[in-house]
């Protein structure tokens, strides 16, 4: 879970670093930045899309990110993405080329740290699973199959069936 | 001491802390990206393409001879990413940014709610953050010409002349100096205040807290009555409680439910997570323990506090409307008890004549102790004929359950 947060922030910083790299790369002095900047921006955006859906927590309800269902369906179709070993190694390899210029260095270091945390999570046999629909909280009262038919106060003398509120 | 408006602003301290954090993150990004251009200017000055410019070639040479001060902190041809680690500002910046990164990613609400220890322990990286922030500029690597040198060497004129011809043209070698670190001037006051606060917490940790009573309430709520010398709280304040037996590093906040007039202070603790479960076990209040623990077996507790804007303003007005919902109703336990005690005192005529109390919660589950407290207060007030002092309105938003619908048949007014 924390790996997801670090990788998400890291990939956003990588994208911003890519934009800075592109802007600097258009200057005469920093032309070397331009290809790396483009690389950083593209892979930063890909990683943001991959990291945005939050996986399901092992126990309890998981708070989804806003609009995460759009990309979550994409993630369920891609192979390998739910395996954290794959994520750890892939992010590491992706970030090495973008670590050679200073603007994208920051984002790549962050994503590499995120991949390290993913490696730790993979060793604990965690994997990404899509968040299922929230389970309804069962009311503690008697089993109610119908919605209440009258507004509060629901005095018992007005109610015929003590099981129907 | 302070007017109420200022005290209420101090209550929003965590929101302010978050605003500061967002600003620090934004400024860190801007600072980093700006300096990434800077680092590349420093290192690319040694590349052959740039060295063709005579001015640049001469400027990076200044500082190599004795008695000369340098302009470019990078003194030889290195790779730009390597230069980040050579510069003192660079590697301290790396440490600072990494600790900021860990702090920010673990402070999002999702991590705080579900994996609190990750948040708590990484947030202590702020010590590393502030330590290295203060020394970030210590090598004075942002350099410019000194004022004295500007008088004798005019950069506008001399930059247009071939640097090899400088001595003939009244352009003596320029002298450079770096600007001294200035961050410490901004952060020293808050750091000192924070250190003072931790010292106060250490002193309070060493003060003895006597546990008078532990009471088990329904729905896994325990009430701990304690006494500490010199402890005075106003109504509605909260304290931090720490139990060294459970964890040396965890101080958890609890609202005080006792009135200032009582000679003890009490908190009601709901047993939910592992710290509270451990607390109930060492207090002898868990499911297995039903015998009373003697006082020498009671665990050591430490109280830090009291904190919070008190609700004492309620006593300055003749009519008070108090609205509490869910867990927010806990300070009102102390408030209503204090109203009751002040009412008992015949000498001082209370300005407060009537309290309307509104309690909104899904159901009374986990708050039965509060309902009992309200019933007790109402009985006491009825005994002295002042039952119109406090008027209660209770709203249960989850509707009635199968137990409560029998109450009206037992003569319990539903308007209570």
């Amino acid at each position: 879970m924390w790996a997801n947060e670090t990788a998400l922030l890291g990939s956003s910083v990588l994208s911003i670093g890519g934009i800075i790299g592109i802007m600097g790369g258009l200057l005469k002095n920093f032309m070397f930045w331009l290809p790396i900047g483009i690389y950083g921006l593209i892979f930063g955006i890909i990683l943001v899309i991959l990291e945005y859906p939050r996986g399901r927590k092992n126990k309890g309800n998981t708070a989804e990110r806003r609009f995460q269902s759009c990309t979550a369906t994409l993630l369920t179709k891609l192979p390998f993405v739910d395996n954290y070993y794959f994520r750890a190694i892939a992010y590491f390899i992706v970030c090495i080329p973008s670590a050679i210029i200073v603007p994208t260095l920051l984002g790549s270091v962050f994503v590499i740290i995120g991949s390290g945390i993913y490696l730790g999570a993979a060793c604990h046999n965690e994997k990404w699973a899509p968040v299922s629909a929230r389970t309804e909280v069962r009311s503690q009262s008697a089993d109610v199959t119908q919605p209440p038919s009258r507004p509060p106060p629901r005095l018992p003398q007005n109610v015929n069936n003590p099981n129907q509120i | 001491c302070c007017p109420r408006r200022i005290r209420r602003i101090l209550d929003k301290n965590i929101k302010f802390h978050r605003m500061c954090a967002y600003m620090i993150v934004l400024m860190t990004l801007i600072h980093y990206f700006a300096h990434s251009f800077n680092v590349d200017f420093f290192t690319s000055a040694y590349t052959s393409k740039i060295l063709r410019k005579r001015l640049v070639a001469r400027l990076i040479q200044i500082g190599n001879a004795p008695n000369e001060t340098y302009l470019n902190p990078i003194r030889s041809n290195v790779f730009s990413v390597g230069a980040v680690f050579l510069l003192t500002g660079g590697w301290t910046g790396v440490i600072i940014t990494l600790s900021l990164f860990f702090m920010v990613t673990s402070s999002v609400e999702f991590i705080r709610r579900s994996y609190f220890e990750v948040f708590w322990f990484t947030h202590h990286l702020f010590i590393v953050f502030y330590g290295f922030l203060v020394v970030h500029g210590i090598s004075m690597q942002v350099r410019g010409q000194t004022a004295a040198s500007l008088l004798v060497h005019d950069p506008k004129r001399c930059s247009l002349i071939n640097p090899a011809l400088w001595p003939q043209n009244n352009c003596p070698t320029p002298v450079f100096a770096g600007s001294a670190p200035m961050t410490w001037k901004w952060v020293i006051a808050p750091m000192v205040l924070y250190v003072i606060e931790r010292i106060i917490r250490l002193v309070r940790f060493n003060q003895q807290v006597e546990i008078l009573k532990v009471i088990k309430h329904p729905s896994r709520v325990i009430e701990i009555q304690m006494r500490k010398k010199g402890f005075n709280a106003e109504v509605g304040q909260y304290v931090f409680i720490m139990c060294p037996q459970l964890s040396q590093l965890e101080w958890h906040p609890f609202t005080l439910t006792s009135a200032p007039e009582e000679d003890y202070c009490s908190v009601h603790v709901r047993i939910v997570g592992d710290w509270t479960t451990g607390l109930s076990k060492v207090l002898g209040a868990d499911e297995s323990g039903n015998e009373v623990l003697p006082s020498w077996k009671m665990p050591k507790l430490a109280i830090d506090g009291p904190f919070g804007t008190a609700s004492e303003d309620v006593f300055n007005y003749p009519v008070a409307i108090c609205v509490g919902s869910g867990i927010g109703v806990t300070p009102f336990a102390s408030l209503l008890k204090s109203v009751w005690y002040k009412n008992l005192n015949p000498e001082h005529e209370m300005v407060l004549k009537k309290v309307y109390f509104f309690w909104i919660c899904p159901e009374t589950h986990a708050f039965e102790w509060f309902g009992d407290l309200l019933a007790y207060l109402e009985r006491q007030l009825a005994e002295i004929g002042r039952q119109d002092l406090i008027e209660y309105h209770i709203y249960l938003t989850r509707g009635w359950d199968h137990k409560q619908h029998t109450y009206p048949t037992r003569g319990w007014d539903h308007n209570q």
Side-chain angles (χ1 to χ4, degrees):
Chain A
M1 290 294 141
W2 188 31
N4 174 265
E5 300 286 337
T6 55
L8 183 64
L9 180 63
S11 44
S12 334
V13 174
L14 182 60
S15 323
I16 300 176
I19 295 174
I20 302 281
I22 294 177
M23 282 165 37
L26 298 173
L27 296 173
K28 199 164 57 124
N29 280 338
F30 297 105
M31 273 194 295
F32 181 57
W33 283 12
L34 190 61
I36 313 292
I38 297 176
Y39 177 90
L41 179 63
I42 292 178
F43 272 100
I45 293 180
I46 291 179
L47 288 183
V48 165
I49 294 176
L50 279 182
E51 287 296 319
Y52 191 72
R54 190 178 276 147
R56 192 179 56 213
K57 263 195 325 187
N58 281 338
K59 51 178 181 168
N61 288 326
T62 314
E64 288 188 356
R65 294 202 177 100
R66 231 176 292 194
F67 310 123
Q68 115 173 3
S69 44
C70 309
T71 40
T73 44
L74 171 69
L75 244 64
T76 49
K77 297 199 179 70
L78 288 176
F80 300 124
V81 172
D82 55 349
N83 186 341
Y84 284 170
Y85 282 113
F86 172 77
R87 283 198 192 194
I89 299 174
Y91 291 176
F92 188 79
I93 295 178
V94 157
C95 285
I96 292 179
S98 57
I100 59 178
I101 64 166
V102 187
T104 47
L105 171 70
L106 190 70
S108 8
V109 167
F110 288 170
V111 176
I112 289 178
I113 292 177
S115 79
I117 305 180
Y118 264 128
L119 192 65
C123 295
H124 285 113
N125 294 327
E126 293 180 26
K127 38 169 42 70
W128 189 88
V131 177
S132 48
R134 255 183 117 93
T135 53
E136 286 302 310
V137 175
R138 294 257 159 258
S139 165
Q140 282 186 326
S141 59
D143 189 30
V144 220
T145 51
Q146 296 292 327
S149 55
R150 39 182 81 249
R154 304 181 187 113
L155 304 180
Q157 56 255 35
N158 295 337
V159 170
N160 294 330
N161 182 2
N163 278 338
Q164 176 198 357
I165 295 184
Chain B
C1 68
C2 316
R4 189 184 61 221
R5 283 196 199 97
I6 298 184
R7 281 190 277 130
R8 292 267 183 264
I9 295 179
L10 287 178
D11 267 349
K12 295 197 169 76
N13 53 351
I14 297 198
K15 209 179 240 183
F16 182 65
H17 181 79
R18 290 218 282 259
M19 292 296 130
C20 286
Y22 292 144
M23 188 54 87
I24 289 180
V25 169
L26 177 68
M27 290 305 165
T28 302
L29 286 177
I30 294 176
H31 184 89
Y32 177 82
F33 290 129
H35 273 300
S36 47
F37 283 93
N38 225 3
V39 167
D40 251 52
F41 277 133
F42 283 159
T43 51
S44 63
Y46 288 93
T47 57
S48 51
K49 200 172 72 159
I50 309 290
L51 274 178
R52 279 188 236 133
K53 297 199 184 129
R54 292 178 298 195
L55 180 61
V56 173
R58 175 76 185 108
L59 282 176
I60 57 179
Q61 272 178 351
I62 299 180
N64 286 339
N67 281 346
E68 273 181 354
T69 51
Y70 61 87
L71 174 63
N72 189 345
I74 303 290
R75 302 308 303 157
S76 57
N77 193 3
V78 291
F79 188 48
S80 59
V81 171
V84 167
F85 292 92
L86 276 180
L87 296 165
T88 313
W91 60 265
T92 51
V94 166
I95 295 177
I96 296 174
T97 319
L98 281 180
S99 31
L100 180 69
F101 175 67
F102 282 125
M103 282 200 279
V104 165
T105 50
S106 56
S107 315
V108 294
E109 178 154 9
F110 177 69
I111 303 283
R112 265 186 292 128
R113 294 247 177 264
S114 308
Y115 308 100
F116 189 79
E117 273 81 16
V118 172
F119 158 67
W120 184 244
F121 292 121
T122 49
H123 228 70
H124 282 85
L125 283 171
F126 74 88
I127 304 173
V128 169
F129 179 88
Y130 273 102
F132 281 98
L133 181 65
V134 167
V135 302
H136 184 57
I138 207 166
S139 288
M140 301 195 283
Q141 289 168 331
V142 175
R143 304 178 75 85
Q145 225 173 326
T146 57
S149 174
L150 278 172
L151 289 175
V152 295
H153 176 115
D154 178 12
K156 277 205 204 115
R157 184 176 61 88
C158 298
S159 58
L160 299 170
I161 305 174
N162 181 354
L165 304 174
W166 271 355
Q168 294 91 315
N169 280 327
N170 224 358
C171 290
T173 310
V175 177
F176 302 105
S179 33
M182 290 202 263
T183 307
W184 64 271
K185 296 180 196 166
W186 296 93
V187 298
I188 189 82
M191 277 166 70
V192 164
L193 283 177
Y194 181 78
V195 167
I196 291 178
E197 191 190 336
R198 291 307 291 248
I199 292 178
I200 293 180
R201 187 177 274 194
L202 187 67
V203 164
R204 284 188 176 149
F205 166 73
N206 286 322
Q207 288 171 330
Q208 199 195 12
V209 170
E210 193 190 332
I211 302 180
L212 299 172
K213 253 198 240 181
V214 175
I215 306 174
K216 270 163 91 158
H217 289 280
S219 302
R220 296 168 64 82
V221 172
I222 56 173
E223 175 185 347
I224 311 175
Q225 292 183 358
M226 304 164 277
R227 203 162 47 187
K228 191 169 100 150
K229 199 160 95 160
F231 182 82
N232 280 324
E234 297 294 330
V235 290
Q237 293 197 298
Y238 62 93
V239 293
F240 283 91
I241 297 191
M242 189 261 260
C243 183
Q245 215 171 328
L246 300 173
S247 165
Q248 287 278 354
L249 297 171
E250 292 182 40
W251 292 78
H252 290 277
F254 292 98
T255 312
L256 288 171
T257 47
S258 57
E261 287 85 359
E262 290 167 341
D263 59 355
Y264 59 86
C265 62
S266 73
V267 294
H268 282 71
V269 175
R270 188 155 155 234
I271 315 292
V272 176
D274 44 356
W275 189 84
T276 39
T277 316
L279 185 70
S280 74
K281 192 147 60 160
V282 299
L283 288 172
D286 58 346
E287 283 88 30
S288 60
N290 264 321
E291 77 275 7
V292 176
L293 281 183
S295 62
W296 52 268
K297 265 203 196 155
M298 280 287 183
K300 172 177 153 116
L301 283 187
I303 296 183
D304 189 19
F307 301 107
T309 338
S311 314
E312 63 212 4
D313 304 328
V314 79
F315 296 112
N316 297 336
Y317 299 93
V319 175
I321 300 183
C322 303
V323 180
S325 63
I327 190 65
V329 85
T330 333
F332 289 115
S334 121
L335 186 100
L336 292 176
K337 279 204 260 190
S338 181
V339 166
W340 158 242
Y341 280 116
K342 282 190 164 53
N343 195 46
L344 280 183
N345 188 351
E347 296 171 26
H348 289 113
E349 178 76 35
M350 266 207 310
V351 177
L352 182 65
K353 298 279 188 264
K354 180 113 182 153
V355 175
Y356 292 97
F357 179 65
F358 292 84
W359 183 21
I360 302 141
C361 57
E363 47 191 8
T364 50
H365 173 71
F367 290 109
E368 290 90 346
W369 64 270
F370 192 74
D372 291 340
L373 171 69
L374 289 185
Y376 169 78
L377 281 179
E378 193 178 344
R379 274 199 306 273
Q380 299 288 86
L381 286 174
E383 270 179 28
I384 60 168
R386 289 292 313 275
Q387 63 261 43
D388 56 343
L389 175 63
I390 304 180
E391 192 174 307
Y392 312 92
H393 298 263
I394 304 177
Y395 296 92
L396 303 176
T397 56
R398 207 171 273 177
W400 295 46
D401 67 3
H402 58 284
K403 288 199 288 284
Q404 287 169 328
H405 81 270
T406 63
Y407 289 164
T409 60
R410 289 194 259 139
W412 205 74
D413 189 5
H414 79 269
N415 243 342
Q416 284 287 58

